Amino acid sequence: MKTEPNFFEKSYEVAKLIPHGRVTSYGAIAKYLGAARSARMVGWAMNASHGDLSIPAHRVVNRKGLLTGKHHFEGTNLMQQLLESEGIVVVENQIQDLSTVFWDPNLEL
DNA sequence: ATTCTGACGTGGG
DNA sequence: CCCCACGCCAGAA
């Protein structure tokens, strides 16, 4: 692989480490990986892991708490449905009380 | 090789 | 908080 496999590997690891009922941002993960400038690559990693149900990609949103990636999931509200199923309040693709449900790997780990 | 786009983030206004 | 511009890396056309 040309790119650092550790980047993707860690992305999956962190995603799996996200507690139930919590969410994090791509930038937080990217920063934890040491690639804060490549937050987009985290999203790309999630896309690659899209086939792995063990990776709760629905718990990963952008820093605004907006479900930007819901469009990549099946249907149109699967991501929101999953989040609400975990007790997270979501309105119009926007996570409410983000500061409460937010989970930062750098902070918690 | 060049250009654009994209599950993003930050800084200035 | 919003809007605008730039940076960032990887992949597709």
Side-chain angles (χ1 to χ4, degrees):
Chain A
M1 288 235 200
K2 291 184 295 191
T3 55
E4 196 74 30
N6 196 345
F7 182 83
F8 282 74
E9 186 179 327
K10 275 212 143 196
S11 301
Y12 304 141
E13 186 177 346
V14 175
K16 290 177 184 176
L17 288 172
I18 300 175
H20 178 266
R22 290 291 180 92
V23 292
T24 190
S25 62
Y26 305 95
I29 297 175
K31 193 169 233 183
Y32 179 72
L33 301 179
R37 290 123 150 188
S38 307
R40 290 181 157 184
M41 301 301 95
V42 179
W44 198 267
M46 292 294 111
N47 190 21
S49 69
H50 185 264
D52 192 330
L53 299 177
S54 302
I55 302 176
H58 61 272
R59 290 184 189 152
V60 185
V61 296
N62 65 350
R63 76 178 184 93
K64 288 178 286 200
L66 188 64
L67 309 186
T68 51
K70 73 165 273 172
H71 216 241
H72 288 257
F73 283 79
E74 296 180 10
T76 55
N77 61 334
L78 177 61
M79 190 174 185
Q80 177 176 338
Q81 194 174 300
L82 289 168
L83 290 170
E84 291 183 323
S85 181
E86 297 186 357
I88 299 174
V89 183
V90 181
V91 179
E92 291 292 284
N93 307 330
Q94 170 75 50
I95 295 178
Q96 306 303 305
D97 303 306
L98 179 62
S99 50
T100 304
V101 298
F102 192 83
W103 179 81
D104 190 335
N106 290 288
L107 193 65
E108 302 295 329
L109 301 181

